[in-house]
Amino acid sequence: MKKALITGGAGFIGLNLARRLLAEDVAVDLLDDFSRGRRDAELQRLAESPRVRCLTLDLTFKPTLTRLFLL
């Protein structure tokens, strides 16, 4: 199965891209730091899919990259 990592995954573009990829049978990791938003109902519905992981991480913090690759 193909996998995709979407940064800014909780935003408008990220959520719509995730929906499209899920329709094409792609597993999706949604990465966001939620500094400008929140986990709304739309994100919660998407996160119910077994092919979606929601990751709360800040890419401006260097150790995050190390943690990301260990997940």
Side-chain angles (χ1 to χ4, degrees), residues 6 13-14 17-18 24-27 29 31 33 35 37 39 45 49 52 54-55 60 64 68 70:
I6 302 173
I13 294 171
L17 178 58
E24 295 179 14
D25 214 27
V26 176
D29 288 340
L31 182 118
D33 68 353
S35 62
R39 292 178 180 261
R45 278 192 301 275
S49 169
V52 173
C54 288
L55 308 169
T60 63
T64 295
L68 179 62
L70 295 175

Side-chain angles (χ1 to χ4, degrees), residues 17-70:
L17 178 58
R19 270 195 226 101
R20 174 68 183 255
L21 291 170
L22 286 170
E24 295 179 14
D25 214 27
V26 176
V28 178
D29 288 340
L30 297 173
L31 182 118
D32 208 302
D33 68 353
F34 294 97
S35 62
R36 297 189 62 184
R38 57 180 164 48
R39 292 178 180 261
D40 60 8
E42 194 171 350
L43 176 62
Q44 292 297 92
R45 278 192 301 275
L46 197 62
E48 291 173 1
S49 169
R51 290 182 289 136
V52 173
R53 284 194 313 171
C54 288
L55 308 169
T56 305
L57 298 169
D58 182 355
L59 290 178
T60 63
F61 185 59
K62 188 176 178 178
T64 295
L65 294 175
T66 302
R67 180 174 171 214
L68 179 62
F69 289 108
L70 295 175

